[in-house]
Amino acid sequence: QVQLVESGGGLVQAGGSLRLSCAASGRTFSRYAMGWFRQAPGKEREFVAAISWSGGSIVYGDSVKGRFTISRGNAKNTVYLQMNSLKPEDTAVYYCAADEGRTPVVIDEWYNYWGQGTQVTVSS
């Protein structure tokens, strides 16, 4: 069982940066691939980024490539999402998720555990 808690969301102007964190409980965090998703009002949940259990394999959604960076600190049981050059269209609730497989996964249904989400709002 893994429990996930996101933090770091907030209000930022377009062009600014935020760093999201996702703290995981449980001793087996390093065995899970981790992902970030987001959902804007009235829209479907969208894949943002995912990272393998070792951190050696990373995948990004097309809309965030070159602007967002996912990383993980297994010693701290934490996964991060550094978001730069933010745009108003990045406004959404951001969720982290854990997958019992070891490779990064882009399909939300494949994830086993989810956090409660953190709101990111980008003003123009």
Side-chain angles (χ1 to χ4, degrees):
Q1 190 78 12
V2 176
Q3 292 184 330
L4 305 172
V5 179
E6 302 95 336
S7 62
L11 174 64
V12 63
Q13 289 188 333
S17 298
L18 281 175
R19 188 193 196 201
L20 304 184
S21 298
C22 174
S25 65
R27 296 176 293 175
T28 59
F29 172 76
S30 61
R31 299 181 183 179
Y32 293 88
M34 301 295 296
W36 286 96
F37 290 79
R38 66 187 183 186
Q39 188 165 23
K43 295 187 177 181
E44 293 186 354
R45 189 159 53 192
E46 177 188 12
F47 169 74
V48 175
I51 187 168
S52 64
W53 68 280
S54 67
S57 181
I58 291 174
V59 180
Y60 293 101
D62 289 341
S63 62
V64 306
K65 283 181 182 177
R67 300 188 299 122
F68 290 12
T69 302
I70 188 172
S71 60
R72 66 188 296 160
N74 285 345
K76 295 184 178 180
N77 282 10
T78 303
V79 63
Y80 306 97
L81 185 68
Q82 178 67 42
M83 305 186 296
N84 298 329
S85 302
L86 283 161
K87 305 174 182 179
E89 51 263 44
D90 294 318
T91 296
V93 177
Y94 283 70
Y95 300 90
C96 75
D99 171 42
E100 293 177 345
R102 295 193 169 188
T103 56
V105 175
V106 303
I107 300 174
D108 54 358
E109 289 90 349
W110 289 10
Y111 283 83
N112 306 100
Y113 306 101
W114 291 84
Q116 293 300 307
T118 185
Q119 176 70 47
V120 172
T121 303
V122 184
S123 63
S124 57

